[in-house]
């Protein structure tokens, strides 16, 4: 056999190689054949290699013992059971090692693939925009919802929203009329400035009005950079 010690990671690795070369099934090993080839490999090692590969010698002794038991004639039932138990133990160790090798191979492939991925720390996008750049989120419902949530959070920190019921009914349509009037005069207005009254019915009606107008493309939603105020302007 033209085999070298550095080709294998240990005695079980060598055994798996010999089983594969002989096209055997791990569950049905011809121990005498494998033992002879294993010992042939041990005998081919140099003196210095043998000193290093002590674990290979331990496996060699196990194989010699097992081979000797299998060649003995007139075995008792107890001897046969002991022999089979030793074979089963060797098979189980080989199956576990084979599974370990497969997992190691998969993890190594994933590690190699991961090395092809380059990550980048998060940073603000403003540094890539010039001062005249406008980030236009025209009709972005998600942006409106996010801005509304931030607005409510700020209001909660300032003062509690009023819960007193008033006689004047605030409707979505009435707020749309008022917002159209504001945009007609100012052309553009900050999103938060449209919530001038801090009552729940007023805030809800205002938000629904802005949402409806954005969907109908009556107004544009503009944000100049990632964290700046949202601007509503005439579409």
């Amino acid at each position: 056999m033209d085999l070298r010690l550095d080709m294998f990671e240990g005695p079980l690795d060598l055994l798996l190689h010999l089983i594969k070369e002989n096209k055997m099934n791990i569950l049905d090993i011809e121990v005498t054949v494998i033992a002879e080839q294993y010992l042939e490999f041990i005998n081919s090692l140099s003196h210095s290699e043998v000193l290093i590969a002590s674990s290979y010698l331990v496996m060699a002794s196990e194989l010699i013992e097992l081979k000797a038991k299998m060649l003995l004639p007139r075995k008792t039932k107890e001897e046969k059971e002991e022999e089979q138990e030793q074979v089963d133990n060797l098979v189980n160790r080989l199956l576990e090692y084979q599974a370990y090798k497969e997992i190691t191979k998969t993890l190594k492939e994933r590690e190699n693939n991961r090395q092809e991925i380059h990550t980048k720390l998060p940073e603000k996008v403003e540094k890539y925009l010039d001062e005249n750049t406008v980030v236009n989120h025209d009709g972005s419902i998600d942006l409106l919802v996010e801005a509304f949530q931030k607005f409510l959070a700020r209001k909660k920190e300032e003062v509690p929203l009023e819960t007193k019921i008033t006689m004047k009914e605030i409707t979505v349509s009435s707020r749309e009329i008022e917002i159209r009037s504001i945009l007609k005069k100012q052309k553009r207005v900050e999103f938060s400035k449209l919530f001038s009254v801090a009552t729940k019915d007023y805030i809800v009606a205002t938000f629904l009005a802005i949402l409806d107008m954005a969907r109908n493309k009556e107004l544009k939603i503009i944000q100049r950079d990632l964290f700046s105020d949202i601007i509503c302007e005439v579409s």
Side-chain angles (χ1 to χ4, degrees):
M1 293 184 296
D2 185 19
L3 302 176
R4 303 186 313 278
L5 185 62
D6 59 7
M7 293 172 60
F8 307 104
E9 297 177 358
L12 290 175
D13 201 28
L14 172 58
L15 278 179
L16 281 177
H17 173 78
L18 295 176
I19 291 169
K20 182 178 179 181
E21 286 296 301
N22 286 277
K23 298 180 180 179
M24 294 180 185
N25 188 320
I26 293 180
L27 300 175
D28 189 24
I29 305 172
E30 294 181 40
V31 177
T32 53
V33 175
I34 295 299
E36 288 178 5
Q37 294 184 2
Y38 191 95
L39 292 174
E40 182 183 338
F41 170 77
I42 294 297
N43 291 329
S44 69
L45 298 178
S46 65
H47 178 70
S48 59
E49 287 178 318
V50 171
L51 293 177
I52 295 172
S54 58
S55 59
Y56 287 83
L57 296 178
V58 174
M59 178 60 71
S61 65
E62 291 182 23
L63 291 172
I64 291 171
E65 180 186 1
L66 184 55
K67 179 182 177 181
K69 287 180 179 180
M70 299 182 77
L71 294 176
L72 286 175
R74 300 178 183 177
K75 288 177 282 190
T76 64
K77 181 181 179 181
E78 290 75 12
E79 289 173 335
K80 288 181 180 180
E81 289 178 351
E82 183 181 350
E83 175 188 306
Q84 187 58 50
E85 183 179 349
Q86 195 170 351
V87 172
D88 291 343
N89 180 264
L90 178 61
V91 168
N92 288 333
R93 287 159 63 191
L94 284 168
L95 290 173
E96 289 178 4
Y97 181 74
Q98 186 179 48
Y100 164 79
K101 281 200 69 173
E102 290 299 320
I103 293 173
T104 302
K105 179 181 177 183
T106 301
L107 293 176
K108 185 63 178 177
E109 289 175 353
R110 290 183 179 180
E111 180 186 5
N112 292 335
N113 292 336
R114 184 64 182 82
Q115 290 177 352
E116 299 299 321
I117 301 174
H118 301 280
T119 57
K120 180 178 179 296
L121 292 174
E123 58 182 312
K124 294 182 179 180
V125 298
E126 289 95 322
K127 62 184 295 185
Y128 299 105
L129 304 176
D130 61 48
E131 59 182 6
N132 297 317
T133 301
V134 174
V135 181
N136 193 332
H137 298 278
D138 185 20
S140 173
I141 305 304
D142 291 338
L143 190 66
L144 279 176
V145 171
E146 182 181 353
F148 185 58
Q149 290 173 336
K150 291 179 179 179
F151 170 78
L152 290 179
R154 288 198 301 270
K155 284 297 180 183
K156 187 176 181 180
E157 292 176 357
E158 294 170 3
V159 290
L161 296 178
E162 295 178 14
T163 56
K164 183 174 67 177
I165 300 175
T166 59
M167 296 299 295
K168 182 180 179 181
E169 182 181 7
I170 306 297
T171 64
V172 175
S173 58
S174 66
R175 284 300 293 138
E176 287 187 15
I177 293 173
E178 293 171 356
I179 292 171
R180 289 191 191 101
S181 177
I182 292 172
L183 290 175
K184 185 176 181 181
K185 295 177 182 177
Q186 301 182 26
K187 302 303 178 184
R188 59 169 52 194
V189 63
E190 289 183 14
F191 175 81
S192 58
K193 295 292 179 62
L194 294 173
F195 299 89
S196 56
V197 180
T199 59
K200 289 183 178 179
D201 52 350
Y202 185 90
I203 288 174
V204 172
T206 300
F207 176 68
L208 292 177
I210 296 172
L211 191 63
D212 187 54
M213 292 175 71
R215 283 174 173 167
N216 294 329
K217 299 190 182 302
E218 290 187 62
L219 55 78
K220 290 181 181 180
I221 308 301
I222 295 175
Q223 189 176 43
R224 291 193 172 276
D225 55 59
L226 192 60
F227 301 106
S228 65
D229 289 333
I230 292 175
I231 303 298
C232 298
E233 70 173 28
V234 178
S235 177

